[in-house]
Amino acid sequence: MIRGRYMRRHHGRHTNGNNVRPGVSPNHPMSGRYLHTVGSPPAQTVYYHWRHCYQPGHLRWTQPSHLQHRLSSFSTVRHPSSRPPRPPDPYNWSYWRQTGILPHTQPRRGLQLSAGLMDHSNSEPPRKRKRSSDRRQAGEDLQCSHERSPPKGSRIPKGSPEWLHNVTCTPVPPGKFPSSPNESPSTPELKRHWEDLSHLCTAAPSVNGGRQKWPFDFSVMSYNILSQDLLCDNTYLYRHCHPPILDWRHRYPNIIKELDKHSADIMCLQEVQEDHYKQQIKPSLESLGYHCEYKRRTGLKPDGCAVVFKRERFSLVSCHPIEYFQHGIPLLDRDNVGLIVLLQPIDPRCSLTNICVANTHLLYNPRRGDIKLAQLAMLLAEISRVAQLPDSKVCPVLLCGDFNSVPWSPLYHFIRDSTLEYDGLTIGKVSGQEENPRGQRILSVPIWPRSLGISQQCQYESQTTDSDLRDLERAEPDSFTKASIEHCLKLTSAYSHYLKESSQPEITTCHSRTAITVDYIFYSAALGDVMAQAECSVPPEKGLQLLGRLSLVGEDELQKVNGLPNQHNSSDHLPLLTRFRLHPQEEQKHLRVS
């Protein structure tokens, strides 16, 4: 699920959550006022019960006894320390029917509180609503609504297919979701096949003292599983879905079934909701033989990143969580995180180098490419430190996650080409998420301040005082004045981003607003690897060779299954699955490329 922060910041980290529209009393919320003026009897009934239990002075919901232990269809167990109980959405008709306050009849069609998708090219980009730590700090709880509307003037994003426009432009009653015209009662399963690339690179086993040594093959998955809290806060993105398939009680078994089916040796998961992770996901994966590491987003965000691996195949050397939020640096004021683990392959037959696995979920906001690049620089600097070998080179690296950037964008090229010349590059074009981004503000030079402690080569700098920084800047005048950044990692994408059969773009995420690629598995490609660039490859024993991957799909295939999520795929992202080969350190001479 592509995600972002669009609220304008004022002075400091936390803004006033009690701001009230002029002319509106803070003790008389707009939602209540609007319902109160609606003449339909159901609306008046809902308003009476909502106002009876809502305490505006405390900005919280006091749940009456007759409504306790009743769950809406989008309910999700939350950690008790996260926030006070959430008040029900007064426009969520299904909730009020389940509590018995409203009969199970269709509400009056005249109450249209949510507009369809706007197809205007001159409007703004789609925005995923966030859980605002600012508003929570002030005590304002955010509601889980069946029918959130997109922000005013939202624009069709890059890659949004026409069939999704048609689905979402249909006016629907509150709490209802339109269906695709081509949808059948039982949605067919999405067909993905395994692309075998092993015949392009083979390695003969070596013999050392009469004992054969074989290469180490393993599989890797990257998967944004869609946080239930974020789904609830952005339901306007899922109007094409039937409500039952969005219920966590349906989604969780599907997700675990999918993870178990693919049984990857290493899995990098994004949007893993903390309470679900602790109570359900982690216990389930541990029972399947996995070791789990997790890093929740900072602030009061409910989700984070997880890296899990099979205990019989790897042992944990070290774990390194990364928080992109940095006090005192205005550019880095977002709550995204990363997680890096250093793993030792377990194979008694041969000696193998460690593998550095990094997982992240970068900021969504298409107009803040400067923040994305700064977050990425922090991640690359930590990878370079963790993966460093005694000879100053780096061990094989796997960089996975949701980068909220499309293929061939400047950010993508920076990862793949190890360098980016950004002179005159506008901030809105860094991620390539929009065809014609608004605003002409260009990236500053340097992008991030030197006080961050990371050089333009994405390496950690030694701790220095302000006077030391001034001396360094005088000694190296071009180091932070040149519009160029680089990194030392040689990384290649495991996917080609185009379908082999039709040459159409591959898609990794799809919902009511867009269908594009934002998820990747980058890796240190060994010399002779099928995806490697000649200038971006490393010796076989210090790199990885791609043996195969689970194919992605295009718009046509997604249209047949009514997009994502659907009956069988319970996230708005598809899992990426690859298989790699790591060669023993002593067996370099036995590598043979066909």
Side-chain angles (χ1 to χ4, degrees), residues 199-411:
H199 62 283
L200 299 176
C201 185
T202 60
S206 65
V207 178
N208 186 4
R211 184 181 177 186
Q212 284 189 342
K213 292 189 176 182
W214 295 86
F216 183 83
D217 296 350
F218 63 100
S219 54
V220 179
M221 173 188 284
S222 182
Y223 191 13
N224 183 326
I225 65 173
L226 177 56
S227 159
Q228 190 71 13
D229 266 21
L230 293 173
L231 183 156
C232 287
D233 288 341
N234 296 276
T235 51
Y236 70 91
L237 297 174
Y238 309 105
R239 292 196 181 110
H240 61 290
C241 302
H242 287 304
I245 70 167
L246 301 179
D247 191 325
W248 179 246
R249 290 166 293 186
H250 171 85
R251 296 183 57 233
Y252 168 68
N254 264 10
I255 291 170
I256 293 297
K257 179 181 176 182
E258 188 163 32
L259 299 181
D260 186 29
K261 171 186 173 182
H262 295 305
S263 189
D265 297 313
I266 301 172
M267 295 192 291
C268 295
L269 308 177
Q270 305 88 42
E271 286 195 27
V272 182
Q273 192 165 307
E274 185 180 39
D275 55 346
H276 292 159
Y277 170 76
K278 291 180 176 179
Q279 299 168 15
Q280 297 173 292
I281 297 172
K282 182 180 180 181
S284 295
L285 293 178
E286 287 180 336
S287 70
L288 295 174
Y290 287 94
H291 174 95
C292 304
E293 295 290 338
Y294 178 77
K295 174 58 183 175
R296 199 192 80 172
R297 286 200 286 166
T298 50
L300 294 176
K301 301 299 186 294
D303 65 292
C305 294
V307 177
V308 305
F309 57 89
K310 288 186 177 178
R311 294 187 296 267
E312 64 180 14
R313 305 228 64 200
F314 296 94
S315 61
L316 180 66
V317 178
S318 59
C319 180
H320 310 268
I322 304 173
E323 298 181 354
Y324 298 139
F325 175 83
Q326 297 291 303
H327 289 279
I329 301 180
L331 178 67
L332 290 164
D333 63 349
R334 309 304 164 96
D335 293 311
N336 307 81
V337 297
L339 182 61
I340 300 173
V341 297
L342 190 63
L343 303 180
Q344 173 62 54
I346 299 175
D347 191 340
R349 302 172 300 178
C350 57
S351 174
L352 297 161
T353 185
N354 292 341
I355 300 174
C356 180
V357 181
N359 181 23
T360 193
H361 189 178
L362 297 184
L363 178 73
Y364 164 69
N365 192 333
R367 298 178 186 165
R368 293 311 303 265
D370 52 345
I371 298 178
K372 294 175 195 271
L373 288 172
Q375 291 179 346
L376 183 58
M378 292 181 65
L379 182 66
L380 294 173
E382 183 68 2
I383 292 173
S384 299
R385 184 188 70 82
V386 173
Q388 188 167 12
L389 296 170
D391 61 0
S392 297
K393 296 182 180 179
V394 295
C395 68
V397 172
L398 286 161
L399 175 55
C400 307
D402 180 345
F403 292 83
N404 278 316
S405 302
V406 302
W408 322 119
S409 65
L411 187 143

Side-chain angles (χ1 to χ4, degrees), residues 411-462:
L411 187 143
Y412 174 91
H413 276 296
F414 175 53
I415 297 175
R416 192 169 178 264
D417 300 338
S418 303
T419 185
L420 176 65
E421 303 285 342
Y422 62 88
D423 185 29
L425 178 63
T426 57
I427 294 176
K429 292 184 177 180
V430 169
S431 65
Q433 292 163 278
E434 297 177 351
E435 292 280 6
N436 299 296
R438 281 188 174 184
Q440 299 300 315
R441 189 159 66 96
I442 64 174
L443 288 168
S444 62
V445 183
I447 298 173
W448 56 85
R450 192 153 196 172
S451 59
L452 181 60
I454 295 177
S455 70
Q456 301 300 282
Q457 291 73 42
C458 296
Q459 300 279 343
Y460 285 125
E461 294 182 318
S462 58

Side-chain angles (χ1 to χ4, degrees), residues 523-536:
Y523 66 102
S524 304
L527 188 64
D529 178 77
V530 63
M531 299 295 291
Q533 307 170 81
E535 66 279 9
C536 292

